[in-house]
Amino acid sequence: QVQLVESGGRLVQAGDSLRLSCAASGRTFSNYALGWFRRPLGKEREFVASIPWSGGNTMYADSVKGRFTISRDNGKNTVYLQMNSLKPEDTAVYYCAARSQRAWPNGDYAPILAQQFDYWGQGTQVTVSS
């Protein structure tokens, strides 16, 4: 089992940049595919980005492609989400998620569906003002 703790969310202005972090503990971090999801107020949770356990091909939602970057530092047991050119519609609670290599052996691509992830953090609020 792995525990995930997000941080870095805060109030920013449109056009600003922000980096979210998700620290993991409990298991070998490098054996997990990782993802970021978000839930805008009153809406369903949606996929943002994911990175496989191999650190290979990253995936992005169309709404964030070209603005957000997911990365991982296995030495620090941390996955990051760099968010640039933020828009008010990016306002949401952001969650990181993990899926073990044993459950998802695909090293080329990570899952992109929420139900494919087994472990979740508690979320961090990002608010973008116009």
Side-chain angles (χ1 to χ4, degrees):
Q1 188 169 343
V2 62
Q3 292 79 41
L4 304 170
V5 179
E6 303 94 336
S7 62
R10 61 183 178 90
L11 173 64
V12 297
Q13 293 187 333
D16 284 353
S17 296
L18 192 63
R19 189 178 77 164
L20 304 183
S21 300
C22 175
S25 62
R27 290 286 185 172
T28 305
F29 181 75
S30 59
N31 291 344
Y32 285 81
L34 302 163
W36 284 97
F37 289 76
R38 66 187 183 187
R39 187 191 297 272
L41 185 64
K43 296 184 179 180
E44 297 293 317
R45 180 172 49 187
E46 60 187 32
F47 169 75
V48 175
S50 65
I51 186 167
W53 54 264
S54 67
N57 299 292
T58 53
M59 300 287 288
Y60 297 94
D62 288 342
S63 59
V64 306
K65 200 170 295 183
R67 299 188 297 123
F68 290 12
T69 302
I70 186 172
S71 62
R72 63 189 299 160
D73 185 335
N74 290 339
K76 294 182 178 180
N77 286 2
T78 302
V79 59
Y80 303 100
L81 184 68
Q82 177 66 43
M83 305 185 292
N84 299 330
S85 302
L86 282 161
K87 304 176 181 179
E89 51 264 43
D90 294 320
T91 295
V93 177
Y94 283 73
Y95 301 88
C96 69
R99 175 91 169 179
S100 71
Q101 179 183 353
R102 175 176 294 183
W104 186 271
N106 187 339
D108 292 326
Y109 293 97
I112 61 171
L113 300 178
Q115 56 264 38
Q116 293 171 319
F117 287 89
D118 302 310
Y119 305 102
W120 293 84
Q122 83 291 346
T124 185
Q125 176 71 48
V126 173
T127 303
V128 185
S129 64
S130 57

